[in-house]
Amino acid sequence: MQFEFNIEGGDFTNAGTASSQVKKILKQLNVLPTDIKRIVVSLYEAEVNVVAHAYRGNILVEISPEKVVLILTDEGPGIPDISQAMQSGYSTASPHVREMGFGAGMGLPNIQKNADDLKIESEVGKGTRLEIIINLYKP
Amino acid sequence: MEFEPYTIAKSSQMNIGTLSGLLTAQIVCNNDQLHREIEYGFASDLMSDVLTLDTDKVVLLTGLANIQAIRTAEMSDISCVVFVRNKKASAEMIRVAQESGIVLLEFTGTMFKAVSILSQAGIKPVY
């Protein structure tokens, strides 16, 4: 099952609408609540990152019985030093982003905490691609 | 001089209705969800901090009255948000909260006052 969403850079009013829709879909599919939370928290953090830093972006959600794969691709400034961006507390967010309750340098580390696998590719001046994999609980 | 021994209130669960009564807070929406249980409290204006929680039955106390506070509660499975310092929920915030069944409360006092009242009533810190 595949779903696609667009994200507009700077549009904080709508940040989180894609994550909200994915949450509804996962609930309908009877995914375990603890798994849903890991998925939607990761996706929301990544969605807010695109809104906060990029010009526009795209989310691809692939749901299978074993795992959920979230791919976020954006056109934006890119990340010059990914290992620095992964450090808790490091942020380049604007004052406006901080006023919205974000920009504390906790997003990427929190995605890593919730995900079973996280891949980040970025090119300065072009954009960033995040691939987040979350394995679903099997009883 | 002898100090009064510091006692930690016995921990307890309470429903959102009881919690709103303790705070004498204004119930903004989702009156039909007041039965939901609360055991822990978290007070922050930083949504990034809220998103790191993996505790259930949490009430969020915040002075950040914007749509992202509601979205953060939605993603974190938080069923009740208390806006402190007399902050008001906008029509858009109420609409999103109604979609997710999140009870919004408005409290006229400070964050510290809200935390004190709930702590004395036995609401526990997340960590």
Side-chain angles (χ1 to χ4, degrees), chain A residues 38-55:
Chain A
R38 290 167 62 215
I39 296 160
V40 298
V41 165
S42 302
L43 182 57
Y44 180 56
E45 292 271 23
E47 197 182 343
V48 167
N49 273 349
V50 174
V51 172
H53 297 285
Y55 315 127

PDB file of all heavy atoms in Angstrom, chain A residues 38-55:
ATOM      1  N   ARG A  38       5.398   5.381  17.111  1.00  0.00           N
ATOM      2  CA  ARG A  38       6.769   5.490  16.582  1.00  0.00           C
ATOM      3  C   ARG A  38       6.754   6.022  15.147  1.00  0.00           C
ATOM      4  O   ARG A  38       7.585   6.846  14.764  1.00  0.00           O
ATOM      5  CB  ARG A  38       7.463   4.123  16.604  1.00  0.00           C
ATOM      6  CG  ARG A  38       7.794   3.618  18.005  1.00  0.00           C
ATOM      7  CD  ARG A  38       8.174   2.153  17.971  1.00  0.00           C
ATOM      8  NE  ARG A  38       9.374   1.918  17.179  1.00  0.00           N
ATOM      9  CZ  ARG A  38       9.586   0.835  16.421  1.00  0.00           C
ATOM     10  NH1 ARG A  38       8.674  -0.104  16.324  1.00  0.00           N
ATOM     11  NH2 ARG A  38      10.698   0.703  15.760  1.00  0.00           N
ATOM     12  N   ILE A  39       5.806   5.526  14.355  1.00  0.00           N
ATOM     13  CA  ILE A  39       5.731   5.932  12.940  1.00  0.00           C
ATOM     14  C   ILE A  39       5.336   7.405  12.821  1.00  0.00           C
ATOM     15  O   ILE A  39       6.002   8.183  12.143  1.00  0.00           O
ATOM     16  CB  ILE A  39       4.718   5.042  12.171  1.00  0.00           C
ATOM     17  CG1 ILE A  39       5.200   3.591  12.137  1.00  0.00           C
ATOM     18  CG2 ILE A  39       4.492   5.574  10.758  1.00  0.00           C
ATOM     19  CD1 ILE A  39       4.108   2.573  11.857  1.00  0.00           C
ATOM     20  N   VAL A  40       4.253   7.787  13.511  1.00  0.00           N
ATOM     21  CA  VAL A  40       3.746   9.147  13.292  1.00  0.00           C
ATOM     22  C   VAL A  40       4.630  10.211  13.960  1.00  0.00           C
ATOM     23  O   VAL A  40       4.742  11.322  13.441  1.00  0.00           O
ATOM     24  CB  VAL A  40       2.254   9.321  13.682  1.00  0.00           C
ATOM     25  CG1 VAL A  40       1.385   8.420  12.832  1.00  0.00           C
ATOM     26  CG2 VAL A  40       2.007   9.094  15.153  1.00  0.00           C
ATOM     27  N   VAL A  41       5.262   9.859  15.072  1.00  0.00           N
ATOM     28  CA  VAL A  41       6.195  10.821  15.689  1.00  0.00           C
ATOM     29  C   VAL A  41       7.385  11.043  14.749  1.00  0.00           C
ATOM     30  O   VAL A  41       7.789  12.181  14.502  1.00  0.00           O
ATOM     31  CB  VAL A  41       6.642  10.363  17.100  1.00  0.00           C
ATOM     32  CG1 VAL A  41       7.859  11.149  17.576  1.00  0.00           C
ATOM     33  CG2 VAL A  41       5.501  10.537  18.106  1.00  0.00           C
ATOM     34  N   SER A  42       7.920   9.957  14.179  1.00  0.00           N
ATOM     35  CA  SER A  42       9.037  10.081  13.221  1.00  0.00           C
ATOM     36  C   SER A  42       8.625  10.911  12.013  1.00  0.00           C
ATOM     37  O   SER A  42       9.360  11.802  11.575  1.00  0.00           O
ATOM     38  CB  SER A  42       9.482   8.701  12.716  1.00  0.00           C
ATOM     39  OG  SER A  42       9.865   7.889  13.772  1.00  0.00           O
ATOM     40  N   LEU A  43       7.438  10.585  11.478  1.00  0.00           N
ATOM     41  CA  LEU A  43       6.977  11.271  10.273  1.00  0.00           C
ATOM     42  C   LEU A  43       6.716  12.756  10.557  1.00  0.00           C
ATOM     43  O   LEU A  43       7.078  13.621   9.754  1.00  0.00           O
ATOM     44  CB  LEU A  43       5.705  10.596   9.736  1.00  0.00           C
ATOM     45  CG  LEU A  43       5.137  11.182   8.439  1.00  0.00           C
ATOM     46  CD1 LEU A  43       6.168  11.155   7.312  1.00  0.00           C
ATOM     47  CD2 LEU A  43       3.885  10.424   7.999  1.00  0.00           C
ATOM     48  N   TYR A  44       6.119  13.030  11.701  1.00  0.00           N
ATOM     49  CA  TYR A  44       5.803  14.420  12.053  1.00  0.00           C
ATOM     50  C   TYR A  44       7.084  15.234  12.244  1.00  0.00           C
ATOM     51  O   TYR A  44       7.194  16.366  11.749  1.00  0.00           O
ATOM     52  CB  TYR A  44       4.952  14.421  13.319  1.00  0.00           C
ATOM     53  CG  TYR A  44       4.543  15.784  13.809  1.00  0.00           C
ATOM     54  CD1 TYR A  44       3.859  16.669  12.984  1.00  0.00           C
ATOM     55  CD2 TYR A  44       4.822  16.184  15.106  1.00  0.00           C
ATOM     56  CE1 TYR A  44       3.476  17.921  13.445  1.00  0.00           C
ATOM     57  CE2 TYR A  44       4.442  17.427  15.580  1.00  0.00           C
ATOM     58  CZ  TYR A  44       3.772  18.295  14.734  1.00  0.00           C
ATOM     59  OH  TYR A  44       3.397  19.521  15.196  1.00  0.00           O
ATOM     60  N   GLU A  45       8.060  14.664  12.924  1.00  0.00           N
ATOM     61  CA  GLU A  45       9.353  15.352  13.097  1.00  0.00           C
ATOM     62  C   GLU A  45       9.963  15.659  11.722  1.00  0.00           C
ATOM     63  O   GLU A  45      10.458  16.768  11.487  1.00  0.00           O
ATOM     64  CB  GLU A  45      10.338  14.469  13.885  1.00  0.00           C
ATOM     65  CG  GLU A  45       9.972  14.242  15.352  1.00  0.00           C
ATOM     66  CD  GLU A  45      10.538  15.299  16.297  1.00  0.00           C
ATOM     67  OE1 GLU A  45      10.830  16.414  15.835  1.00  0.00           O
ATOM     68  OE2 GLU A  45      10.665  14.992  17.499  1.00  0.00           O
ATOM     69  N   ALA A  46       9.899  14.672  10.819  1.00  0.00           N
ATOM     70  CA  ALA A  46      10.499  14.848   9.493  1.00  0.00           C
ATOM     71  C   ALA A  46       9.699  15.863   8.674  1.00  0.00           C
ATOM     72  O   ALA A  46      10.277  16.678   7.943  1.00  0.00           O
ATOM     73  CB  ALA A  46      10.553  13.500   8.775  1.00  0.00           C
ATOM     74  N   GLU A  47       8.382  15.819   8.820  1.00  0.00           N
ATOM     75  CA  GLU A  47       7.512  16.757   8.109  1.00  0.00           C
ATOM     76  C   GLU A  47       7.794  18.195   8.569  1.00  0.00           C
ATOM     77  O   GLU A  47       7.910  19.112   7.745  1.00  0.00           O
ATOM     78  CB  GLU A  47       6.048  16.370   8.381  1.00  0.00           C
ATOM     79  CG  GLU A  47       5.066  16.984   7.421  1.00  0.00           C
ATOM     80  CD  GLU A  47       3.601  16.619   7.739  1.00  0.00           C
ATOM     81  OE1 GLU A  47       3.344  15.654   8.490  1.00  0.00           O
ATOM     82  OE2 GLU A  47       2.726  17.328   7.235  1.00  0.00           O
ATOM     83  N   VAL A  48       7.915  18.374   9.883  1.00  0.00           N
ATOM     84  CA  VAL A  48       8.211  19.707  10.433  1.00  0.00           C
ATOM     85  C   VAL A  48       9.583  20.179   9.936  1.00  0.00           C
ATOM     86  O   VAL A  48       9.753  21.357   9.607  1.00  0.00           O
ATOM     87  CB  VAL A  48       8.140  19.699  11.981  1.00  0.00           C
ATOM     88  CG1 VAL A  48       8.752  20.964  12.569  1.00  0.00           C
ATOM     89  CG2 VAL A  48       6.695  19.568  12.445  1.00  0.00           C
ATOM     90  N   ASN A  49      10.541  19.261   9.825  1.00  0.00           N
ATOM     91  CA  ASN A  49      11.864  19.625   9.310  1.00  0.00           C
ATOM     92  C   ASN A  49      11.777  20.189   7.895  1.00  0.00           C
ATOM     93  O   ASN A  49      12.431  21.178   7.576  1.00  0.00           O
ATOM     94  CB  ASN A  49      12.802  18.410   9.302  1.00  0.00           C
ATOM     95  CG  ASN A  49      13.519  18.237  10.628  1.00  0.00           C
ATOM     96  OD1 ASN A  49      13.485  19.125  11.487  1.00  0.00           O
ATOM     97  ND2 ASN A  49      14.161  17.101  10.800  1.00  0.00           N
ATOM     98  N   VAL A  50      10.965  19.538   7.050  1.00  0.00           N
ATOM     99  CA  VAL A  50      10.815  20.019   5.667  1.00  0.00           C
ATOM    100  C   VAL A  50      10.162  21.407   5.675  1.00  0.00           C
ATOM    101  O   VAL A  50      10.625  22.321   4.996  1.00  0.00           O
ATOM    102  CB  VAL A  50       9.990  19.020   4.814  1.00  0.00           C
ATOM    103  CG1 VAL A  50       9.711  19.602   3.431  1.00  0.00           C
ATOM    104  CG2 VAL A  50      10.722  17.691   4.689  1.00  0.00           C
ATOM    105  N   VAL A  51       9.088  21.562   6.459  1.00  0.00           N
ATOM    106  CA  VAL A  51       8.405  22.864   6.543  1.00  0.00           C
ATOM    107  C   VAL A  51       9.372  23.937   7.059  1.00  0.00           C
ATOM    108  O   VAL A  51       9.394  25.061   6.569  1.00  0.00           O
ATOM    109  CB  VAL A  51       7.155  22.773   7.455  1.00  0.00           C
ATOM    110  CG1 VAL A  51       6.554  24.151   7.704  1.00  0.00           C
ATOM    111  CG2 VAL A  51       6.112  21.849   6.841  1.00  0.00           C
ATOM    112  N   ALA A  52      10.190  23.555   8.032  1.00  0.00           N
ATOM    113  CA  ALA A  52      11.086  24.520   8.685  1.00  0.00           C
ATOM    114  C   ALA A  52      12.276  24.907   7.817  1.00  0.00           C
ATOM    115  O   ALA A  52      12.754  26.043   7.892  1.00  0.00           O
ATOM    116  CB  ALA A  52      11.573  23.956  10.017  1.00  0.00           C
ATOM    117  N   HIS A  53      12.782  23.964   7.023  1.00  0.00           N
ATOM    118  CA  HIS A  53      14.061  24.213   6.347  1.00  0.00           C
ATOM    119  C   HIS A  53      13.998  24.251   4.816  1.00  0.00           C
ATOM    120  O   HIS A  53      14.838  24.890   4.194  1.00  0.00           O
ATOM    121  CB  HIS A  53      15.083  23.145   6.749  1.00  0.00           C
ATOM    122  CG  HIS A  53      15.412  23.157   8.212  1.00  0.00           C
ATOM    123  ND1 HIS A  53      16.224  24.112   8.786  1.00  0.00           N
ATOM    124  CD2 HIS A  53      15.032  22.340   9.228  1.00  0.00           C
ATOM    125  CE1 HIS A  53      16.336  23.879  10.083  1.00  0.00           C
ATOM    126  NE2 HIS A  53      15.613  22.823  10.387  1.00  0.00           N
ATOM    127  N   ALA A  54      13.036  23.532   4.221  1.00  0.00           N
ATOM    128  CA  ALA A  54      13.073  23.366   2.763  1.00  0.00           C
ATOM    129  C   ALA A  54      12.053  24.264   2.065  1.00  0.00           C
ATOM    130  O   ALA A  54      11.236  24.917   2.710  1.00  0.00           O
ATOM    131  CB  ALA A  54      12.807  21.912   2.400  1.00  0.00           C
ATOM    132  N   TYR A  55      12.115  24.292   0.720  1.00  0.00           N
ATOM    133  CA  TYR A  55      11.166  25.085  -0.071  1.00  0.00           C
ATOM    134  C   TYR A  55       9.901  24.271  -0.321  1.00  0.00           C
ATOM    135  O   TYR A  55       8.796  24.790  -0.292  1.00  0.00           O
ATOM    136  CB  TYR A  55      11.791  25.517  -1.399  1.00  0.00           C
ATOM    137  CG  TYR A  55      13.205  26.037  -1.242  1.00  0.00           C
ATOM    138  CD1 TYR A  55      14.253  25.526  -1.998  1.00  0.00           C
ATOM    139  CD2 TYR A  55      13.488  27.031  -0.299  1.00  0.00           C
ATOM    140  CE1 TYR A  55      15.548  25.992  -1.831  1.00  0.00           C
ATOM    141  CE2 TYR A  55      14.776  27.493  -0.126  1.00  0.00           C
ATOM    142  CZ  TYR A  55      15.807  26.964  -0.885  1.00  0.00           C
ATOM    143  OH  TYR A  55      17.083  27.408  -0.706  1.00  0.00           O
TER     144      TYR A  55
END
